[in-house]
Amino acid sequence: MIRPSRRQVLLAGLGLGASAALAACSGDASATRPAAAFPPPEPVPPLSGQSVMSARLTARPVTLDLGGRTVQTWAYGDAAPGPTLRANAGDLLRVTLDNQLPADTTVHWHGVRLGQQADGVPGLTQDPVRTGESFLYEFTAPDPGTYFFHPHVGTQLDRGLYAPLIIEDPAEPGDYDLEWVVVLDDWIDGTGTTPEEVLEQLVADGASGTGGMDHGAMAGMHHGSMSVGLGEAPWGADTGDVTYPHYLINGKLPSDPPVLQARAGQRVRLRIISAASDTIFAVALGGHRMTLTHTDGWPLTPVQTDALYIGMGERYDAVVALEPGVFPLVARPVGKSTGGQGLAVIRTGTGSVPAADVTLSELGGRVLAGSQLEPDDAVRLPAKRPDVTEALRLGGSMAPYLWTINGAAYGQNEPLRVAAGQRLRLNAVNMTMMPHPLHLHGHTFALPNGLRKDTLLMAPMESVSLDLDADNPGDWLVHCHNIYHAEAGMMIDLRYS
Ligand code: C2O
Ligand code: CU
């Protein structure tokens, strides 16, 4: 087979020894930092007139029925996705995490511009929450939008530990009759392996040089023939490292899909969240066009499309006017040849349930990607020259299994610097042949066209400048939201006070 290496690393001379690489792969952020004990978070009393939304989350081992297939996994409460949390923009959220897992954990409120003491990064913003302990997350959620939450420890996101967080805009009229939250996931936990074992295997294959070769048959590894050839534009031939046996929508397999009911003619707002760890999806609703209205919580100049791409950690809101009948909502994994697809069924009338492997013509045409969207003018950053510019070079390899930012794995790379009040420009360059969803904690960035996002799917070899205002002092992560890449080093700190 003419395929010299599965991943072409275009950044030569990372200057990293294998031992440093392996150390960086060995665990969560705290493994590469001096053990720092964080004081308990400062209590956050509500401001006068501020409403409080309180909730309790129990992270625990569970047995889940995915719809004909039962798995042992970890989840919040007794389902995956866990309970949807809702509040109004400006509310104070008080969420107690109860850790009943046999492992340390934390909760990260993905995309929320919160105070850093609630950001949930062990070793950076808090100590990990030990088995049997609890932790109170208190923060104001300033911006309306579609968010989710998940642990920031190891590869726990690739278990069932994720749930939606919806921040409503009391001022938004909302031109729709009802809304559905649609959570996409790639699933492997409890199918004979765990995400921790998958990562160990990737690291072991990388160390022995077998990583990325088209031989061997390690469970969970990606050897798909799909990765030979040009792949799917614009994401390239190699979109992920893990072969998943299943893809889920709202925790269910396509053999027993979730059914969303409404009346024909109703307008529905879809809040689509990707909780996937290593999979890009192309999403479409059969027989309908969607009007995209928001991404990562931020309003767009609305645009109609048949289909959209969603990377790990991204969110898209779309409004759809429902036709009469029964329609498949499909999440097709991009560049992965096994495991089928994600399916939900939308029912407004009579009709037969679509087959699990239904092919949508909507997915055969133009599929929109986040970077092609235009912002609503109201959310543009005020025009300003950047005060500071920093490079953000994404690099990596399969052998060794090592992913880097600015030439080194997390813990060995230099934190990005800015001062409070400055405009920072990140010149992000994907120097690899894989796509990476780049995620920033505690802020949103603006693309050159003004589009605001907190997670941007970057195509192979793509460059983009991302501007942000340093208005939330603290210690923050910037990282790839492919959880295996993040764990293998593709993270960097952004620190300022
Ligand atoms: Cu959803 Cu640091 O991530
Ligand atoms: Cu990545």
Side-chain angles (χ1 to χ4, degrees):
M1 181 162 300
I2 306 170
R3 201 150 147 266
S5 82
R6 171 146 185 275
R7 180 127 328 124
Q8 216 162 348
V9 183
L10 297 162
L11 175 61
L14 292 176
L16 251 190
S19 57
L22 290 174
C25 292
S26 67
D28 63 28
S30 56
T32 55
R33 308 176 161 276
F38 289 78
E42 302 273 336
V44 184
L47 305 169
S48 86
Q50 189 177 28
S51 300
V52 179
M53 193 286 288
S54 300
R56 193 171 190 95
L57 278 180
T58 305
R60 61 189 192 95
V62 288
T63 302
L64 294 185
D65 179 1
L66 306 180
R69 167 141 207 182
T70 297
V71 291
Q72 309 283 331
T73 187
W74 297 351
Y76 295 122
D78 52 15
T84 297
L85 300 184
R86 282 182 187 268
N88 282 329
D91 286 359
L92 177 64
L93 280 76
R94 282 193 168 147
V95 186
T96 303
L97 166 69
D98 210 346
N99 182 10
Q100 294 180 14
L101 301 173
D104 295 350
T105 194
T106 62
V107 178
H108 170 62
W109 311 91
H110 179 109
V112 180
R113 191 163 55 93
L114 41 54
Q116 78 126 43
Q117 65 170 9
D119 199 41
V121 182
L124 191 65
T125 69
Q126 67 169 94
D127 288 327
V129 183
R130 309 285 179 198
T131 302
E133 293 185 352
S134 61
F135 189 92
L136 175 61
Y137 291 93
E138 291 187 298
F139 58 95
T140 295
D143 307 307
T146 301
Y147 302 93
F148 74 123
F149 54 92
H150 61 76
H152 223 289
V153 172
T155 51
Q156 289 180 8
L157 166 63
D158 211 9
R159 296 189 184 243
L161 291 163
Y162 57 82
L165 170 63
I166 308 300
I167 305 297
E168 316 259 14
D169 186 350
E172 188 193 87
D175 184 20
Y176 52 91
D177 304 303
L178 70 166
E179 71 168 55
W180 292 326
V181 179
V182 173
V183 186
L184 314 179
D185 194 19
D186 45 15
W187 192 277
I188 194 165
D189 193 33
T191 65
T193 186
T194 64
E196 289 70 27
E197 290 165 349
V198 170
L199 178 60
E200 273 169 32
Q201 190 67 57
L202 287 166
V203 171
D205 288 353
S208 67
T210 57
M213 306 305 286
D214 278 337
H215 53 65
M218 273 72 67
M221 298 305 119
H222 183 46
H223 303 284
S225 54
M226 290 284 291
S227 55
V228 179
L230 292 176
E232 179 159 339
W235 311 118
D238 186 4
T239 54
D241 297 341
V242 180
T243 298
Y244 287 89
H246 302 301
Y247 297 97
L248 309 182
I249 294 186
N250 292 352
K252 290 293 179 191
L253 286 165
S255 49
D256 181 18
V259 178
L260 303 164
Q261 306 248 20
R263 291 196 308 278
Q266 284 187 312
R267 290 170 63 80
V268 57
R269 177 180 189 164
L270 301 173
R271 294 179 179 269
I272 307 169
I273 300 169
S274 176
S277 289
D278 180 73
T279 304
I280 298 167
F281 290 104
V283 179
L285 171 55
H288 293 75
R289 300 202 88 197
M290 301 178 277
T291 301
L292 299 183
T293 60
H294 298 74
T295 184
D296 298 354
W298 295 89
L300 304 169
T301 300
V303 59
Q304 285 213 338
T305 188
D306 287 333
L308 65 109
Y309 289 114
I310 182 167
M312 301 78 97
E314 283 191 297
R315 292 90 63 211
Y316 289 92
D317 293 21
V319 173
V320 180
L322 295 171
E323 300 290 334
V326 177
F327 305 96
L329 175 69
V330 168
R332 180 172 57 74
V334 173
K336 300 214 174 168
S337 52
T338 56
Q341 59 187 4
L343 176 70
V345 173
I346 291 180
R347 180 185 288 281
T348 62
T350 53
S352 50
V353 173
D357 62 352
V358 57
T359 301
L360 291 190
S361 60
E362 286 81 1
L363 291 172
R366 180 161 186 247
V367 185
L368 271 186
S371 54
Q372 296 168 300
L373 304 173
E374 293 288 331
D376 180 315
D377 281 332
V379 303
R380 287 178 189 279
L381 286 179
K384 184 181 175 185
R385 288 216 162 157
D387 301 294
V388 205
T389 298
E390 289 267 35
L392 199 76
R393 288 175 286 113
L394 309 180
S397 69
M398 291 299 284
Y401 192 72
L402 173 69
W403 296 95
T404 62
I405 296 184
N406 289 347
Y410 186 60
Q412 277 96 46
N413 48 17
E414 277 295 308
L416 305 169
R417 302 256 173 213
V418 67
Q422 289 183 326
R423 170 79 48 95
L424 170 62
R425 172 162 295 174
L426 295 172
N427 283 326
V429 186
N430 179 357
M431 306 183 78
T432 78
M433 294 308 288
M434 280 190 87
H436 303 278
L438 185 66
H439 175 53
L440 166 65
H441 285 208
H443 304 71
T444 54
F445 46 71
L447 277 66
N449 71 354
L451 181 73
R452 304 286 294 275
K453 281 181 78 55
D454 58 62
T455 310
L456 177 69
L457 192 51
M458 290 187 71
M461 303 306 293
E462 182 179 355
S463 299
V464 64
S465 64
L466 305 171
D467 284 4
L468 63 109
D469 282 332
D471 56 4
N472 193 9
D475 295 339
W476 304 104
L477 280 181
V478 184
H479 66 90
C480 177
H481 219 275
N482 179 314
I483 214 65
Y484 296 92
H485 293 182
E487 277 303 288
M490 200 174 241
M491 308 201 285
I492 196 165
D493 289 337
L494 168 65
R495 300 180 178 194
Y496 63 100
S497 49

